[in-house]
Structures are given as C-alpha cells and as structure tokens.
Amino acid sequence: MNTHLAVRIGAAVAAVAAATALATGPATAVSRSAGHPSTGAAAGSVSARETAADKALVTYVYKQLFTYYDTSVIDKYVSPDYIQHNPNVANGPEALRQLVENLKATATPGSGSVTTHVIAQGDLVLLQTSAGASATSKGVVLVDVFRVANHKIVEHWDTIQPVPAITANGHDMVSTLTSPQTDAAGPASHTAASERVVRAYVQQLTGRKDLGAVDRYVSPKLVQHDPALADGAAATKQAYADLFAAHPQYQATVAKVVAEGDLVAVHLHDQNSPSDLGTSVYEIFRVRGGKIVEHWAVTQAVPATSANGNSMF
C-alpha cells in the first residue's frame, strides 16, 4: 500500500515541477499554518451540514478554476489571506489567479481535468484528480486538500505525480475497481470504523514497522493503484519489508487524515532518514468489512525551497 517506493526509486523532480505548473489547484498541506497543529487529526469541529456545504463549495470552485479557467470565483470564494503549500506557488489569491491564467494560456487542446474521489471531514475537503492527459502525455494525478472557514477557501495543500507509462498492477491510478464500482464515499455511518482501521494500520505498519499489520488490516485480494506495486496484500508486505531493510531510519509522519464513509485519506511525510527532505505522500484507502480492499497513492519529492515559505505539510 505504499507508493512511497515509486518516488524513492526515481523521483523525477523535473517532471513533477512541470506537472505542478500544469495542474496545481487549491490544496491543503501538512503544516496547518492557520492554527491547526500537524497532529494527523481531522480538522476542527464542524457540523455535518457545514462539511457538506464546504464539499459542494470546493468542488464547484475547483471545476470553475481548472476546467473552465474562470477566475471570477476567486474573488467570491477564496480568502484574501489564502495560505498556499504548493511549493511552486506564492501565498494569496492573486498568485492563484495567475496560476489559472497561465494554465489557460498553455493548456493542450483536448486535455483537461477529471476529479474522481472527493472526501470531506471537518473543515477539510480532499479531491483526487487526473489532469493534462493528451495524445502525447498521460498527464498527472494529483491530490488537493482545501481548508474552508466561513464559506471561504483559506488554505491549500497538494501533491502531484506524473502518470507512468506502465504500472506493476495493470490498473490506472484513479479508477475504482472494487464492487460496487462507485467513486463516492459510502454511508456516513461507516466513517468512524473505517478511520479506526486505517489509523491502526498506518500507525502499526509505518510507525512501529510491524509487518503483521498488513495481515491484520489488508484484504489478501487488495486492488492496488500504486503504480509501483502489484495487486494483493503480499506485494504490499514485501515492499515494506524491503523498505525497512534498505532504510533502517525510515519514518513516516502523519500530517492529516480525512475520512468519509468507506474512504480514508492519509497525508504522510516519508523520510528515509531524519536528514532526508523526504516525500509528500497521499494514500487513499477503501475499507469494507473491516479490511482495506482498495488503495490509491500519489507521491512527490519535497523540494529544498518553497515559493511561499510554507512546508508541503
């Protein structure tokens, strides 16, 4: 369940930078500089009705910006104090406006963006999107996270990964293959149980380096969308065993968790050693019957500098 390896084996920094210029939208990151500590907890106490409204707002604004290139929504829905964690984009709504205008000017005819999974919890809304695919490019997959306050988008993080030519599992990076084949999150009544499974899995596997967590929490028939890994729990378990053996100081810090229904997204800061700049990783898990049955991941190497002075977390 670990796309972390894909970036480690050959994180194409130049490709990621190009992808960022292509598809960077409002997202959320690890260091919640607007007052949310990086504890890995879901964001502040918000009613279910408010969360649903935030989800609708973010989905609408994202489509207007990155499908129709309509920057008029920025004035209405983006805070003047908008905090940016994409390392290539400055803080503030005007930098976002310039980004969208640049994308519009350089967009390849026939390319576009398609959002698959949308997960909302508290004041955070997460979108998984594919963008920039054309006759000559498979484009990128990105995860954007937005924080909403008082009906305004106030903070954004993202992670972007170029789509490889082939994958170890034969699947694309975004579709849903488990039955029922729906991208939507399951019933809200499933959220707490799904989140417990994923939190326990991540804590035990990446925190304690307990490979037995794969046996406890992952379906043997896991459907895998991490392009570096084959289907099945055994491939995931072996990948982590190899990772721990190659990098004894490996650590993964949970920056945030966003859960809704049977979908749980975890934002991790992966480091091979304490001095390693590391990798920003978003993993999305689908939980059914108490087991993780499907997994998606998007990874990006953390750069040495940032246009906004904020970390990616």
Side-chain angles (χ1 to χ4, degrees):
M1 219 127 289
N2 185 317
T3 299
H4 321 183
L5 303 173
V7 169
R8 289 207 175 81
I9 293 172
V13 176
V16 170
T20 303
L22 170 74
T24 323
T28 342
V30 179
S31 45
R32 302 189 181 183
S33 44
H36 293 291
S38 299
T39 61
S45 214
V46 175
S47 72
R49 176 179 288 185
E50 289 173 308
T51 297
D54 291 347
K55 186 176 183 179
L57 182 153
V58 167
T59 304
Y60 170 76
V61 171
Y62 196 90
K63 187 170 186 177
Q64 295 305 306
L65 290 176
F66 299 105
T67 299
Y68 302 119
Y69 305 111
D70 177 8
T71 58
S72 67
V73 294
I74 293 175
D75 297 325
K76 187 172 183 180
Y77 297 113
V78 177
S79 169
D81 300 320
Y82 178 64
I83 299 167
Q84 178 65 262
H85 295 273
N86 179 305
N88 295 317
V89 184
N91 288 317
E94 290 313 308
L96 174 60
R97 190 187 313 276
Q98 187 60 56
L99 170 68
V100 175
E101 290 173 353
N102 290 344
L103 289 173
K104 181 179 181 179
T106 59
T108 303
S111 67
S113 65
V114 178
T115 296
T116 46
H117 298 102
V118 182
I119 308 170
Q121 186 179 32
D123 57 0
L124 297 180
V125 181
L126 178 146
L127 292 81
Q128 181 199 43
T129 304
S130 53
S134 67
T136 58
S137 171
K138 287 184 173 290
V140 298
V141 173
L142 57 159
V143 170
D144 288 283
V145 179
F146 302 84
R147 189 168 65 82
V148 182
N150 299 318
H151 311 294
K152 295 274 190 178
I153 296 172
V154 298
E155 195 163 9
H156 165 259
W157 302 257
D158 65 12
T159 289
I160 305 170
Q161 180 177 351
V163 176
I166 58 173
T167 68
N169 48 60
H171 310 315
D172 64 35
M173 292 179 65
V174 296
S175 63
T176 295
L177 298 178
T178 49
S179 181
Q181 285 184 261
T182 174
D183 295 329
S189 59
H190 295 179
T191 300
S194 298
E195 185 173 354
R196 280 195 299 271
V197 167
V198 171
R199 282 186 178 274
Y201 171 70
V202 171
Q203 180 186 28
Q204 292 169 33
L205 181 61
T206 65
R208 301 176 189 170
K209 300 182 182 177
D210 176 6
L211 294 171
V214 178
D215 303 317
R216 290 189 290 275
Y217 297 109
V218 179
S219 167
K221 297 180 180 180
L222 172 74
V223 177
Q224 181 64 259
H225 296 274
D226 179 332
L229 295 178
D231 284 338
T236 292
K237 189 173 183 179
Q238 186 61 56
Y240 273 105
D242 294 343
L243 174 64
F244 298 157
H247 302 286
Q249 292 185 295
Y250 165 81
Q251 60 184 23
T253 304
V254 176
K256 64 179 66 64
V257 176
V258 185
E260 180 182 0
D262 58 1
L263 294 176
V264 183
V266 181
H267 187 191
L268 295 167
H269 184 195
D270 256 17
Q271 294 171 282
N272 287 335
S273 69
S275 61
D276 178 21
L277 287 174
T279 304
S280 175
V281 181
Y282 278 96
E283 302 204 56
I284 301 174
F285 304 88
R286 187 179 291 278
V287 180
R288 291 198 176 128
K291 293 281 190 176
I292 294 166
V293 297
E294 195 161 9
H295 169 258
W296 301 260
V298 178
T299 66
Q300 180 180 342
V302 175
T305 60
S306 169
N308 48 58
N310 305 320
S311 82
M312 292 183 70
F313 307 97

